[in-house]
Amino acid sequence: MPDVRHPLDPLTADEIRAAIAILRRERDVTERWRIASVELREPAKDAVRDHRAGDAVSRAAIVVCWNRDDGRAYKAVVAISEDRVASWEHRPGEQPNMTVDEFHEVDAALRAHPDVVAALARRGITDMGLVLMDTWAYGASLIPDPFRGRRVAWTDVWHRREPAANPYANPVGGLHPIVDLNSMELLDLGDSGVVEPAPTMGEYVPRLVPGLQLRDDVKAVHIHQPGGVSFRLDGHELRWQRWSMRIGFNHREGLVLHTVGYEDAGRTRPVAHRLSFAEMVVPYRDPTGEHERRTAFDVGEWGLGFMTTSLELGCDCLGEIAYLDATLHDARGEPYTIPNAICVHEEDAGVLWKHVDPVAGAETRRMRRLVVSFHATVANYEYLVYWRFHQDASIECEVRATGIMVTTQFNGEPPPYGTLVDERTYAPFHQHFLVARLDLDVDGERNTVHAVDSEALPTGPGNPHGLAMVQRSTPLRTEREGRQDYDWQRQRAWKVVNPGARNRLGTTVAYKLVPGGALPALLDAASPVFERAQAIGHTLWVTPHRGDERWPCGEFPTQSAEDRGLPAWTAQDRPIEDTDVVLWYVFGINHVTRAEEWPVMPVDTVSFWLKPDGFFDRNPALDVPLAHG
Ligand SMILES: [Cu+2]
């Protein structure tokens, strides 16, 4: 495999083909099987650390697949370099992730089904070319009894007013067919009665919006970098200013950042071994029949990688852009490429630091930041993910949600679980919980996470005016203590401290996780969706690093009944002090829908930061030069 130079490089098309060929040969994986996922089996940390340029690279893939005829699912490790199956594990009772092929096959099967055609005719819809079926995965508890044990999906039905119009403009109410995904059999029409369609305007493409006048007072903005970009992309290795990292990508997390380090006085100091999004949970908070099953696990069920869309210069990214393609595969294991899946570029970001002195005058530095981003379109919704690296050694992780909200039309009074956004149409409230998996290695692997709280001391001796505020730093010693909640009263943050490394001032070096977008689950602990997603019950979890502990709501959340990830691991209450730790940060959007978010939603933006805290002896951006260009 000549184009693989580093053990963390994503799998190539040839490697995906080779892994599947080995399985077909060794384990009789026939064309009747579906390949749910093929991803790089990432090497252990020491193998990454010890790798030198030019070393031979041994490659292995993790493959999840199932036999459509008996529904049995398997997880394999395929040693590609050795041309053999290293392990083959039956996973009874578990459903692999949903596949894009199933999504399209359900759409085609239902649109051709006479019962569906008849149900739509009763609703006045006869052109099946204008109909779209959206496949949704189930949680175990909501699968109707007769279909339990099968791989099933429920669907939404949408109707385009014309061929290129927005399907999500027009929900077809009272129709949610249930399908067996292995046989593509219609199990239940899910017809609860005709909902009178409302005269909505759900179009956003200008020519389809009646009477829309585009503004004519927007002049062009061009970004020029006449000297070229200041970053260097060599394969999947990225260097910019003092930052260095490797870019990875897989079907489930999408973009993954590896071996993030910062150069300080000639040596690269590790900051993070691996950064990614490990789960996203989107419960709709509407108990009516249209929405009670709507609990998406967009990472675990569908995969942010599989949902990644190509980026366009001048629209998604402005300026001098370097793109990376991504290689994934379909449910037959056939590889394909997503062109321009990842964007790397620099941005001017306003003022970095400034002071005006009456004698010396003004000193101002402009901030430049490096942005590594990707966009995922999950049916109606888009998630835009930006990792931003700054000259003061801060990292911001920002997520923007946009796209089309799910809506429902109603007769009579609108339900109280959403906002009226159009004629007899409401957009239900829902939440987007993202779980960032942050394998930080602050100046090395041995770290301790501290909860840091601001505390006002009581007025009294030594504090006569009640001004005193101190920091309480509490080391988190075990996984139970590592289950942390945001505390507004104490402005809680978390510090990842290396107890074995000190700065010039004698204090331990650290990076601080500055929370943003924290939100409570607002769910009954006994509710089925919370059972499946207990990871969203805390703002932060800390675990000792285990390479195979990656999925906070369990490895297979599709049709899951309970969360076998973070709650199960942390029940062991393992020590997390002065060891290699992983932080799981839960943040997102409590999406109380607005009329202004229809028919297409302006971005809703949340972010959190990782900031050096005693990692350096002083402001690391003192050396940023005044001149640009
Ligand atoms: Cu939303």
Side-chain angles (χ1 to χ4, degrees):
M1 308 293 171
D3 47 350
V4 173
R5 290 183 291 172
H6 191 277
L8 287 171
D9 282 348
L11 289 180
T12 64
D14 283 347
E15 288 177 321
I16 291 171
R17 271 193 207 99
I20 298 306
I22 294 166
L23 279 180
R24 295 211 188 283
R25 188 186 73 211
E26 302 287 319
R27 288 296 184 275
D28 200 24
V29 172
T30 68
E31 293 295 330
R32 282 290 300 155
W33 290 54
R34 283 195 205 272
I35 310 299
S37 63
V38 186
E39 69 165 318
L40 173 69
R41 189 201 198 193
E42 291 177 18
K45 284 193 179 187
D46 52 350
V48 173
R49 202 171 37 229
D50 297 343
H51 175 81
R52 295 290 169 268
D55 286 357
V57 177
S58 173
R59 302 277 279 177
I62 301 169
V63 181
V64 174
C65 53
W66 80 98
N67 183 343
R68 263 186 284 179
D69 292 329
D70 60 16
R72 288 161 70 96
Y74 296 82
K75 180 179 174 183
V77 175
V78 182
I80 300 169
S81 306
E82 297 160 29
D83 194 29
R84 67 182 183 91
V85 178
S87 70
W88 177 252
E89 185 192 351
H90 177 218
R91 301 295 298 249
E94 296 194 290
Q95 291 294 341
N97 56 272
M98 307 288 279
T99 65
V100 176
D101 293 53
E102 287 168 297
F103 185 95
H104 292 308
E105 287 175 32
V106 167
D107 181 48
L110 287 180
R111 285 193 292 126
H113 197 288
D115 295 356
V116 177
V117 172
L120 284 163
R122 287 195 290 279
R123 290 163 168 84
I125 297 169
T126 51
D127 183 349
M128 295 306 288
L130 298 177
V131 172
L132 171 72
M133 309 289 180
D134 255 354
T135 298
W136 288 71
Y138 266 105
S141 70
L142 290 167
I143 299 175
D145 277 336
F147 313 139
R148 284 184 187 242
R150 299 168 85 152
R151 183 174 174 88
V152 286
W154 65 277
T155 56
D156 279 325
V157 185
W158 307 97
H159 179 232
R160 299 177 199 265
R161 290 253 161 86
E162 58 176 272
N166 175 18
Y168 301 109
N170 304 297
V172 177
L175 189 59
H176 295 283
I178 302 171
V179 178
D180 180 309
L181 290 171
N182 285 334
S183 63
M184 287 295 148
E185 177 191 350
L186 175 64
L187 299 174
D188 189 316
L189 189 57
D191 190 345
S192 58
V194 176
V195 177
E196 179 72 17
T200 54
M201 204 307 289
E203 306 299 337
Y204 56 92
V205 175
R207 70 175 176 80
L208 298 175
V209 181
L212 179 69
Q213 287 283 331
L214 294 180
R215 321 174 173 199
D216 59 4
D217 53 356
V218 185
K219 307 285 189 218
V221 170
H222 291 292
I223 311 289
H224 289 294
Q225 294 185 266
V229 297
S230 334
F231 60 83
R232 197 161 55 87
L233 192 56
D234 180 13
H236 287 83
E237 183 186 36
L238 177 61
R239 290 180 176 277
W240 177 77
Q241 311 257 307
R242 310 216 183 286
W243 286 106
S244 59
M245 68 198 76
R246 300 198 65 86
I247 295 177
F249 191 91
N250 65 51
H251 69 284
R252 188 155 172 170
E253 296 157 293
L255 176 66
V256 180
L257 297 172
H258 300 282
T259 57
V260 177
Y262 196 89
E263 189 195 311
D264 181 22
R267 75 188 168 104
T268 297
R269 298 173 65 188
V271 175
H273 181 72
R274 194 179 190 282
L275 304 170
S276 71
F277 285 139
E279 193 50 275
M280 171 155 38
V281 185
V282 188
Y284 278 71
R285 308 303 303 271
D286 179 342
T288 59
E290 289 288 324
H291 301 289
E292 61 184 357
R293 294 167 289 189
R294 204 178 297 283
T295 52
F297 289 65
D298 286 326
V299 174
E301 286 171 349
W302 291 99
L304 283 188
F306 283 136
M307 300 293 116
T308 292
T309 42
S310 294
L311 298 165
E312 215 171 300
L313 185 62
C315 299
D316 298 305
C317 329
L318 199 59
E320 295 289 326
I321 308 295
Y323 290 110
L324 281 166
D325 297 344
T327 303
L328 292 175
H329 59 86
D330 64 18
R332 293 169 299 131
E334 193 54 41
Y336 64 87
T337 299
I338 305 171
N340 297 354
I342 299 166
C343 165
V344 179
H345 78 293
E346 290 173 279
E347 288 174 353
D348 176 276
V351 171
L352 169 64
W353 59 258
K354 168 173 181 163
H355 182 61
V356 181
D357 179 271
V359 178
E363 285 284 340
T364 306
R365 297 294 181 275
R366 285 199 73 80
M367 183 192 295
R368 190 84 67 87
R369 64 190 181 194
L370 177 75
V371 188
V372 187
S373 63
F374 76 112
H375 293 181
T377 298
V378 188
N380 55 303
Y381 233 80
E382 352 283 306
Y383 297 99
L384 324 180
V385 179
Y386 303 87
W387 291 92
R388 300 205 172 101
F389 295 86
H390 291 82
Q391 290 165 311
D392 68 351
S394 299
I395 303 170
E396 184 188 19
C397 173
E398 181 187 282
V399 177
R400 298 177 173 206
T402 179
I404 322 283
M405 295 186 296
V406 167
T407 58
T408 294
Q409 301 180 346
F410 59 89
N411 298 316
E413 287 297 305
Y417 318 108
T419 303
L420 190 68
V421 297
D422 206 328
E423 296 287 321
R424 288 195 290 105
T425 299
Y426 74 102
F429 306 141
H430 56 276
Q431 296 153 311
H432 307 259
F433 294 93
L434 295 130
V435 186
R437 184 180 185 276
L438 310 170
D439 179 358
L440 298 187
D441 285 357
V442 177
D443 245 349
E445 289 176 12
R446 295 178 70 133
N447 294 161
T448 303
V449 181
H450 292 240
V452 284
D453 293 338
S454 294
E455 188 180 313
L457 297 183
T459 304
N463 184 29
H465 311 298
L467 280 169
M469 183 179 84
V470 294
Q471 290 293 295
R472 298 281 180 223
S473 185
T474 311
L476 309 176
R477 291 164 307 187
T478 70
E479 287 178 296
R480 272 205 201 122
E481 294 178 6
R483 295 173 179 171
Q484 289 280 307
D485 298 310
Y486 183 64
D487 185 342
W488 186 82
Q489 292 291 346
R490 292 168 169 270
Q491 287 295 293
R492 179 166 296 167
W494 295 275
K495 260 161 84 163
V496 184
V497 175
N498 185 327
R502 286 176 189 273
N503 60 26
R504 184 178 60 83
L505 310 167
T507 41
T508 47
V509 305
Y511 256 75
K512 189 188 233 177
L513 168 53
V514 182
L519 73 164
L522 287 164
L523 279 164
D524 184 336
S527 70
V529 64
F530 189 75
E531 284 281 307
R532 302 173 66 203
Q534 294 168 50
I536 66 175
H538 294 289
T539 317
L540 179 73
W541 305 67
V542 184
T543 57
H545 174 267
R546 300 283 183 276
D548 58 351
E549 291 183 359
R550 294 176 58 196
W551 312 116
C553 295
E555 191 169 4
F556 298 110
T558 303
Q559 296 185 200
S560 69
E562 59 176 358
D563 187 336
R564 294 184 186 169
L566 277 170
W569 306 328
T570 58
Q572 301 167 77
D573 206 22
R574 295 167 295 190
I576 53 172
E577 204 170 14
D578 195 12
T579 188
D580 189 3
V581 290
V582 176
L583 286 78
W584 309 77
Y585 181 63
V586 179
F587 71 117
I589 301 167
N590 190 52
H591 194 170
V592 177
T593 49
R594 298 182 296 133
E596 289 85 350
E597 291 170 338
W598 182 252
V600 65
M601 186 185 150
V603 290
D604 207 341
T605 305
V606 287
S607 81
F608 69 91
W609 288 78
L610 297 166
K611 292 189 174 184
D613 193 341
F615 191 78
F616 302 99
D617 302 335
R618 63 181 191 188
N619 180 352
L622 266 191
D623 60 355
V624 171
L626 179 63
H628 293 288

